[in-house]
Amino acid sequence: MSEQQEKKQAFELHPTPMLDHLESGPWPSFIKGFKETVTRTEKTMVRGVLDQLNYSYETKMGYWKGGVVGVHGYGAGVISRYSMISDQFPEATEFHTMRVQPAPGLHYSAKALREVCDIWEKYGSGLMSMHGQTGNLQLQGVKAENVQALFDELNQRGWDLGGAGATVRTGASCVGPARCEQACYDTLGTHGKVLSYYADLTHRPQLPYKAKFKFSGCPNDCTNSIQRADYAVIGTWKDDMQVDTAEVENFIDKKGIDYVVNNVISRCPTQAITLKGKQLEIDNRNCVRCMHCLNVMPKALSPGKERGITLLVGGKGHLKVGNMLGSVMVPFMKMETEEDIDAFIELIDKMIDYWSENGLDHERIGETIERVGVQEFLDAVGLEANIDMVAHPRDNPFFKADLTHSPEEAA
Amino acid sequence: MSEQQEKKQAFELHPTPMLDHLESGPWPSFIKGFKETVTRTEKTMVRGVLDQLNYSYETKMGYWKGGVVGVHGYGAGVISRYSMISDQFPEATEFHTMRVQPAPGLHYSAKALREVCDIWEKYGSGLMSMHGQTGNLQLQGVKAENVQALFDELNQRGWDLGGAGATVRTGASCVGPARCEQACYDTLGTHGKVLSYYADLTHRPQLPYKAKFKFSGCPNDCTNSIQRADYAVIGTWKDDMQVDTAEVENFIDKKGIDYVVNNVISRCPTQAITLKGKQLEIDNRNCVRCMHCLNVMPKALSPGKERGITLLVGGKGHLKVGNMLGSVMVPFMKMETEEDIDAFIELIDKMIDYWSENGLDHERIGETIERVGVQEFLDAVGLEANIDMVAHPRDNPFFKADLTHSPEEAA
Amino acid sequence: MAERTWKTIENGPHSLDDFLHPISKKNYGQWRYHERPRPGVLKHVAWSGDVLFTVRAATHRQVTVDIVRRLCDLADKYADGYLRWTIRNNVEFMTPNEANVEPLIRDLAAIGHPVGGTGPSVSAIAHTQGWLHCDIPAIDASGVAKSIMDALFHDFAHEEMPNRVRLSTSCCEINCGGQADIAVVVQHTRPPRINHEILANVCEMPSTVARCPVAAIRPTTVNGKPSLMVVEEKCIYCGACFGACPAMEINHPEHSKLAVWVGGKNSNARSKPTNMKLVAHGLPNNPPRWPEVTDVLKRILGAYKAGGRDWERLGEWIERIGWRRFFEETGLAFDKSMIDNYRHARVSLNQSAQIRF
Amino acid sequence: MAERTWKTIENGPHSLDDFLHPISKKNYGQWRYHERPRPGVLKHVAWSGDVLFTVRAATHRQVTVDIVRRLCDLADKYADGYLRWTIRNNVEFMTPNEANVEPLIRDLAAIGHPVGGTGPSVSAIAHTQGWLHCDIPAIDASGVAKSIMDALFHDFAHEEMPNRVRLSTSCCEINCGGQADIAVVVQHTRPPRINHEILANVCEMPSTVARCPVAAIRPTTVNGKPSLMVVEEKCIYCGACFGACPAMEINHPEHSKLAVWVGGKNSNARSKPTNMKLVAHGLPNNPPRWPEVTDVLKRILGAYKAGGRDWERLGEWIERIGWRRFFEETGLAFDKSMIDNYRHARVSLNQSAQIRF
Ligand code: SRM
Ligand code: SRM
Ligand code: SRM
Ligand code: SRM
Ligand code: SF4
Ligand code: SF4
Ligand code: SF4
Ligand code: SF4
Ligand code: SF4
Ligand code: SF4
Ligand code: SF4
Ligand code: SF4
């Protein structure tokens, strides 16, 4: 046996019969990918992880347990994983993940991304998840001893860690102004500024529980923010939508009246669109900015010019209370200047402060608001009640009636 | 002063300046009515009640308190009222109400009703409320000493008392088959049989709390049963609705196509109606029996022939839990023969039994079901889960998953 | 008292046998269609060809033997000796004889019972006991009802609304009047003051404690006697405890106010049944005519009449135009109390970016 | 370890400055409209007249430095050195040069990244960690995701659905995958078995007790040591306690099943966002390919593709045809577990007489 052969043998993959089933098929195979990398880099950690994974497929059980691993000065950003069966799979003993905050909109230059790959291959497994559901670049498979060096090299190139535990989490933003005609504000810039501002709260757990931001340029909500962000920042407009009448006519000519009736007019949730010959009349007072007609006719219809955001608060998963969709807290707010972003941050600060003081352990802000009642929360953060916050007024008399209320609108 | 004058003076009404304001206006004035009767009958009780009522109008407070008054063998049916300020208004000391169960649909013959008036005038104030919100003929203003005699005379003419407290309550039914073309079952007959069957439970409090039945002949629900009956029995049909094509054409000719499009076709909640020339095509598989199109075109469209009822359970007011609308427990059940009614009663018996055993004090059946969960209730009363019971399946994973469940429909 | 010789017959509802008009009996369940010849009058046609006219007239609900006897006389004169009441306290006379209709209407008017309440009108208001009889009311439901119906009378007698309008009034927060297109219900604005003097004698303490929706009532000792206390921060002034125990004095001439609720719907026509929603509160308890309340109702009905489409119920109209427009068009003020914070609050929030600006 | 000389810079997200394509930068916020020339390709046109083509390709999310480097190479070759990822783990290349599009697609295919996922297609599935990394999973999300996407591949590469379809897979009931048109989520079917051996060492008992949504966990003593117990009648097998404490062993090879949820919607287009609903559960945990799960997904998508109207999302389609029809048309069985009995159960019940027979 030649030396080369010996070396090769030493790094041969162990059989993973269950995993091998996942190599076929048209969809990219993560197993194939892992095997390729481990075969090239001969990182035993990855071989161990594949072995343990195969064992999971056989026994239908997972075998990781948590621990505490971190970088200097930070309390979050590394998810540590130790094998519960390291006696069986010693190569898989440690398999920690570093959460790295990408640029807004998950944009990269090939150059910077290659650098990340190089640093990552140097210190870790070479496996990565692009991206985690929250939006982190997840570097999966580093030993505790390499964590600090890995971080330091990344940090020198402008990469910082994401959140974990009771922190502000890594944000997400849609591609927005970089490419999309529907973007009503600068999702990417706002994401960058807001999350930089909250870097301390991202890195050191000081909150009742996690807090997530997502930034969507319009109500299409391509970041799914309403469902899964404590703070959903969604672009919208206040004035009339812009109509390019020539393009409306072109569209009708091209697609036919039937198509327009069946796919635009009759689909408007508030019946705000009327057909007038070869034109559409938009009843802007009734338009709820749902985006549908703009989506179907992007060349003809565009958001208005008085643009800003709607802030919805409280979105999160179903733990304990059933899935919570965020709900409107600020119907409209400008988001154009530095001052606008500052005002936004000031408001969020008040919310986070209130929640920090009043939230129970492991309670998301939406749950806190639900528990204390929207009223109390509004008072605490200095917001006025607004009809846009509700789908409809209350249907029960169980409230502390406010004697200062006057039933008639102030003139 | 002649004797006559003296007598008149003795029975003169006292001043009721506040109440007098309610004598004017086009709507019938209850004050005028009361004054007329007391002036004629010279019943001091009514004068006292008017005096106390006027005092209530002045002070903006009520002055009745409850007590216990009843008839032999019954535990319910009389609502007793004693004045809290009888020192001020001694004539108003006692003012009890007897709840009498009218015939289904609130039908009377003038003859029988006059008899009631005569008996009532003999023993009581002559004031009555036609009818209470639940459906009782309320004889308002009898002294405890006259209650038994009043009841006995009424009972001899076929009148029985209604419920109060923790009993089955007096039922209500729409005019249905007596006059209405939409009636899908015999509301009046069913009301009569069911409530007779529950006479014992109506008269003697033995339940956790009240239980109300309302019978509506069709989903127009003219008895508001879904909102306020623990057992809402609503007529419906299972096959295709009946269409009189000649009358459809007449209707369209008379009202015009626009009217039909705007008021029939576009108002169907499931878009189950299509215009075909001068005819309407009904997609009966999609029709949810909402009644709207039948309401607009009663001559042309009628319920189908396979008729029966939908049973909704749990309607009630908002006490403690917020207003509860009843929800579907039996999507369809025949209600034509004696056996059908027996089967219905058998099911209700099971529900009442379960509730009696499991309901907390002052808990309506809807609240009990909500507390234990629909599943447990269905099992207890032997009903199968049915998709018609829900607006949509659950949106949270918080349930005891049943291992016997097979995800695929049995062939 | 004389010895009782009669043995009770527990039959439940009175038998219908002799109470139905012969034409109803003959065509029982065999009706074909109906028309509305004029407000207050229905014409039902049976498959047999028989015709039955119904004349519907207002009553005050709180009637008397004199009033009822007069109605019986009219039944004998025009309706073959039968009459019935609707669920909304209107009285109805049925006759196969069209010629009876107009004289009956005249005679009804003469004795103070205007006809109306059919089709797209404002039918009689459903109301409750009030100061006349109940033990817990903060207003007189009959008086509020009379005041409202006087103010809305035109729309009882005419069919000019987009669809039927059903009103109710309830004299305490318990709301025996139920869900309606527009409801007027008492709304308290402070916790009950406990009458410790009477509490020990009149109160079943455990059930009173249990009745509170927010667990604000606690056992305590006052002057050495067991009593109850209310945790005022928790209390939401609902008055449920007062229904359980007269010592929990919630009513107050100034602090018990009136609230207006809209959009209750019971029929299944088009949209599913809905609960009503709060749109005005803090209205003063202002007998004998409660003008502030009737004013709010007039605003709401005025806007609905102007903006509603045919067949659109009040709540359906609001859903179409949006709650923002509803408040704008009625001039009512939305306030933070109207944001739900009770058990199902979440489902009432705007969990979307859909907004009308 | 060598002494650390670098001082951390806490900047949060990486700066975007050098990461945007120059055409994006130039036309930042000044886009006019877009078209979809073919599945997997978008064409955006700016008010300036500039054009930007985007090519979207599948990745496995669980990638490697080798894969990423290859993608970087293609970015250099065809997209001026830039690339981005979408929220659904697809990679995107942008170029103003139409001629680059087809060669790029070919090169992507050659290295195993098919293009697609645009418009009314089934885009890449959002999935979570699974057995590869998480400490509480009952399945391997990556494996389920791969199996599903293999099965649905045609509809990733083609735009033949009524509207976009978004899938997710989550490896425990916590559901990090979130709401989706169709989601596959673990569903346990028995209470956790408590590992009393390790509990004392690993468990923060008060927070574990607090984590239970139904208060089924109680402190107790086992072998003289403080421990926890589960009241099995109360427990709803949610596994939330396992997230708090590894001694609450909920996972089981047979008793941990898969469930399918449908109708989650996040956009505000037409209808408001909605939560997804349970339509199948008790599916076996059957690695490596979970055929029972992919079968259910195929049925659902088959029925939707056949019956949905253009622009109608899955949940909107179901709302239109009714849930009864959904179960009929997919051949799935409704069962009593699907009736909600949790906190907001009431609002999910059919509180109306509206029924499709
Ligand atoms: C890694 C990731 C899944 C993935 O592979 O993409 C993930 C993984 C975990 N999530 Fe998550 N969640 C991830 C995105 C989400 C999302 C989606 C999102 O952020 O947009 C949600 C739903 C939205 C939300 O925040 O509610 C989510 C809802 C949860 C929850 C339930 C929260 C709730 O209130 O319902 C838990 C449980 C908890 O926090 O106790 C949870 C807990 C966890 C833990 C920490 C489980 C644990 O207790 O050990 C997982 C660590 C796994 C690991 O080994 O890395 N994870 N988790 C995602 C984070 C990657 C990233 O940072 O980019
Ligand atoms: C690239 C991406 C944003 C990003 O920053 O990464 C994006 C990009 C676009 N979205 Fe999106 N959406 C993206 C995720 C989403 C998501 C979130 C998700 O997929 O998890 C949603 C919400 C889905 C939901 O409701 O659950 C989303 C809901 C929409 C909608 C609303 C569709 C609807 O009718 O409900 C539109 C409108 C449309 O389709 O015209 C839209 C439209 C668009 C447009 C046409 C906007 C534009 O004019 O450029 C973009 C191309 C869409 C296409 O694929 O045909 N985008 N879009 C995301 C691509 C994900 C992927 O790889 O598949
Ligand atoms: C008399 C009547 C109002 C009227 O003038 O029409 C009435 C009067 C009272 N209702 Fe009622 N309710 C009356 C119909 C209703 C209705 C409507 C219905 O039955 O269709 C409801 C709503 C539906 C329901 O049952 O929930 C109703 C919901 C209540 C409630 C709240 C129940 C809940 O669960 O929310 C209470 C409070 C209680 O029972 O503790 C209540 C309690 C009361 C009490 C017993 C208050 C009390 O504790 O003393 C009232 C007795 C007043 C009296 O002096 O006669 N009443 N009550 C109605 C009965 C007349 C009749 O028998 O024909
Ligand atoms: C007489 C009465 C039943 C009874 O047994 O007493 C009755 C009788 C009729 N109702 Fe009713 N409804 C009666 C109370 C109700 C109620 C309950 C109530 O008023 O409190 C409702 C539910 C109201 C709600 O949703 O809150 C009710 C909802 C309907 C509807 C559905 C209307 C809608 O579009 O939502 C119809 C259909 C229609 O109007 O054509 C209807 C239709 C009818 C018809 C046309 C049925 C027929 O073909 O004979 C009857 C004449 C209606 C008219 O006045 O024009 N009836 N109807 C009740 C008269 C009450 C009154 O004096 O004003
Ligand atoms: S959320 Fe709106 S602005 Fe952002 S990418 Fe989607 S469609 Fe464009
Ligand atoms: S954006 Fe939506 S609500 Fe507004 S007009 Fe278009 S379809 Fe209607
Ligand atoms: S509920 Fe139906 S059957 Fe009964 S009166 Fe009303 S419309 Fe006629
Ligand atoms: S009854 Fe209602 S659901 Fe059925 S076809 Fe007529 S309008 Fe449509
Ligand atoms: S609403 Fe209240 S005060 Fe009025 S009758 Fe009902 S319980 Fe009595
Ligand atoms: S008023 Fe209502 S909330 Fe206050 S103590 Fe009484 S029952 Fe409880
Ligand atoms: S879904 Fe559960 S098992 Fe999967 S990553 Fe999230 S927390 Fe871990
Ligand atoms: S599995 Fe869920 S319900 Fe059961 S004990 Fe654990 S947390 Fe509680």
Side-chain angles (χ1 to χ4, degrees), chain A residues 237 241 264 267-273 282-283 286-294 301, chain D residues 268 270:
Chain A
W237 67 97
M241 73 170 76
V264 182
R267 298 302 181 81
C268 171
T270 52
Q271 281 120 57
I273 313 176
I282 313 280
D283 171 7
N286 260 319
C287 166
V288 289
R289 281 68 176 157
C290 87
M291 293 302 296
H292 176 74
C293 62
L294 296 89
L301 307 176
Chain D
N268 293 275
R270 301 168 304 284

